[in-house]
Amino acid sequence: MAQKPSIPKGTRDFSPEEMMRRNYIFDTVRAVFRTFGFAPLETPAMENLSTLLGKYGDEGDKLLFKILNSGDYAAGLSDDALRTPSRICEKGLRYDLTVPLARYVVQHQGEIVFPFKRYQIQPVWRADRPQKGRYREFYQCDVDVIGSRSLLHEVELVEIVERVFRKLGIRVALKMNNRKILYGIAETIGHADKMIEITVAIDKLEKVGIDNVRAELLERGIGAEAIDRLQPILELQGDNAQKLDRLEQIIGGSETGMKGIAEMRTVFAAVERLGCALPVELDLSLARGLNYYTGAIFEVKALDYAIGSICGGGRYDDLTGIFGLPDTSGVGISFGADRIYDVMTGLGLFPEEVGFTTRLLFVNLGREEERASLELLRAVRDRGIASEIYPEQAKMKKQMEYANRRGIPFVAIVGGDELATRMVTLKDMRSGEQEKIPFAELVHRLG
């Protein structure tokens, strides 16, 4: 007996029902992006490893899927060469959509109008350990602006977050911080040179707790006295204004830190003026470990479902500089479609109609009945109503069972009596109710 086929761990098949729900998310997100003037972009699944390596930090580099050179490339190479990754792997699957965006902007800079506003909805891959809410292949829905340092874009991203999750029906809270503030904290505690080590450690605070973060900081060479000064900062209480006031007293000697505080005051004030209903909180433990962030950083959590962040991003001032286009600032945010799907499934938030591939089924009761049904079917489809006819003559019970198993909400019955009176019997499969409707009015009834 042949072994049952399978797929790699951390990847998934999506049934038609699941795809309809996923497309509902993609369509909702895409519609909001377009409302704010963003244009679509796609980039290849694989990039040159030189494009990807060194952009995500040491931990990110370890999670890159590397692609072996194919064909007869290895012919003639020595055993030592075959054991050298750089000789046999020149490409990798993209880790995110931001670095490929930076590569695209530099490569096509002569064709782009700046600020360049793009959205991108595509899969990414990470060689991570699969677990609930964490996959090796997953979709990101990114929206970014390249070529402007204006903080209006940060405010716009907050609005986008609010609108997307309001439309999806998910209650969320947006947490924000600023990498300049984190640098100011590191500078104040005497470890500006270990800014990256500090951010990587404190980014795990919610997952592992303060004791484990302290232990990791010690391992990374941060002294106990410095950690004692850091911990109260991470645990500051109060509203956003109160936290910033207290923070200003603590890190006021850091010019970079003060710039970060000023930026956050500007963003928070603008969001408040707009009357944004989204809860926005300054979270000083938020670090987002990716090395390329330089300013405001974002993270979104669902309030009614236990899962990791479902959206995140931030400001990056010189990501394109790595590819030869310096001083071109960008800011963006990424919606995690797979986690959003899990949240909506867990909370039962998908509208019922999302699951309907077919809204109306015509039963097939005979040659003359079939001919009349096909004419009605064409008229219904012309109005954009998803509909079909049972492909062969069969007992009514069998056709009704088919409609039930497919989740088709309406069934149209054209039998001998209906042909004689030119009336169609329309049955609501959810309530069991049925009514007779003139042929000419069926389209309007369903519309």
Side-chain angles (χ1 to χ4, degrees), residues 348-400:
L349 296 178
F350 285 105
E352 183 183 17
E353 59 268 20
V354 170
F356 300 154
T357 51
T358 298
R359 191 166 178 226
L360 175 67
L361 173 72
F362 284 85
V363 298
N364 193 333
L365 299 176
R367 181 173 298 178
E368 292 300 317
E369 291 88 344
E370 180 185 283
R371 184 178 294 115
S373 294
L374 286 172
E375 292 177 3
L376 289 170
L377 178 62
R378 184 174 179 82
V380 169
R381 285 174 173 167
D382 284 345
R383 290 293 295 268
I385 298 169
S387 51
E388 60 184 273
I389 186 170
Y390 197 77
E392 57 194 10
Q393 298 172 27
K395 292 182 179 180
M396 181 72 78
K397 180 180 179 182
K398 180 179 181 180
Q399 297 187 56
M400 289 296 185

Side-chain angles (χ1 to χ4, degrees), residues 21-271:
R21 291 182 170 191
R22 288 170 64 81
N23 284 335
Y24 174 76
I25 295 172
F26 295 144
D27 292 344
T28 301
V29 171
R30 186 182 293 111
V32 174
F33 289 169
R34 292 179 69 97
T35 300
F36 284 78
F38 290 84
L41 176 72
E42 286 197 357
T43 58
M46 58 181 163
E47 296 274 352
N48 293 324
L49 271 180
S50 58
T51 297
L52 302 174
L53 287 169
K55 312 306 187 299
Y56 307 105
D58 291 340
E59 294 194 12
D61 283 351
K62 294 175 185 176
L63 299 181
L64 286 173
F65 272 110
K66 300 178 178 66
I67 301 173
L68 287 173
N69 295 334
S70 58
D72 61 353
Y73 182 84
L77 291 179
S78 67
D79 290 343
D80 287 341
L82 289 173
R83 286 192 290 268
T84 306
S86 61
R87 294 292 301 276
I88 61 174
C89 297
E90 296 174 340
K91 294 173 283 295
L93 295 177
R94 59 172 173 250
Y95 178 94
D96 70 354
L97 300 177
T98 308
V99 169
L101 168 64
R103 187 268 308 155
Y104 175 88
V105 168
V106 176
Q107 186 175 342
H108 298 273
Q109 57 187 286
E111 309 157 24
I112 290 173
V113 177
F114 293 100
F116 179 52
K117 301 179 73 172
R118 85 85 174 87
Y119 72 84
Q120 195 168 348
I121 301 176
Q122 286 187 275
V124 299
W125 294 267
R126 297 182 185 178
D128 211 343
R129 183 171 63 88
Q131 53 187 293
K132 181 183 179 183
R134 188 179 293 275
Y135 308 102
R136 287 174 171 165
E137 179 186 61
F138 56 97
Y139 267 75
Q140 288 185 335
C141 308
D142 279 23
V143 60
D144 289 79
V145 183
I146 302 286
S148 172
R149 297 180 185 275
S150 171
L151 294 176
L152 288 177
H153 298 305
E154 275 84 344
V155 176
E156 192 171 66
L157 292 179
V158 173
E159 285 192 272
I160 287 173
V161 169
E162 177 196 29
R163 288 173 186 251
V164 165
F165 289 111
R166 172 158 40 90
K167 286 178 177 291
L168 293 175
I170 304 175
R171 292 197 322 119
V172 299
L174 172 63
K175 295 186 177 184
M176 291 187 67
N177 199 3
N178 194 296
R179 296 278 283 202
K180 294 184 180 72
I181 289 176
L182 290 170
Y183 180 85
I185 293 172
E187 192 175 28
T188 299
I189 67 173
H191 283 287
D193 60 322
K194 293 187 177 294
M195 160 76 171
I196 299 301
E197 289 86 345
I198 292 172
T199 57
V200 169
I202 68 174
D203 199 45
K204 303 172 184 175
L205 181 60
E206 186 174 346
K207 296 178 183 176
V208 303
I210 188 63
D211 291 339
N212 287 316
V213 169
R214 288 181 65 97
E216 181 170 338
L217 288 169
L218 286 169
E219 290 177 8
R220 291 178 177 271
I222 313 299
E225 183 178 343
I227 297 173
D228 287 340
R229 296 176 65 190
L230 171 66
Q231 184 171 341
I233 299 175
L234 301 179
E235 297 173 346
L236 282 178
Q237 299 296 312
D239 61 27
N240 294 335
Q242 291 170 333
K243 288 179 183 177
L244 289 173
D245 288 343
R246 179 67 183 124
L247 195 59
E248 189 171 350
Q249 297 172 2
I250 298 171
I251 68 170
S254 168
E255 182 179 353
T256 300
M258 290 300 292
K259 286 181 180 177
I261 290 174
E263 289 178 6
M264 298 311 296
R265 289 193 194 279
T266 300
V267 172
F268 289 146
V271 169

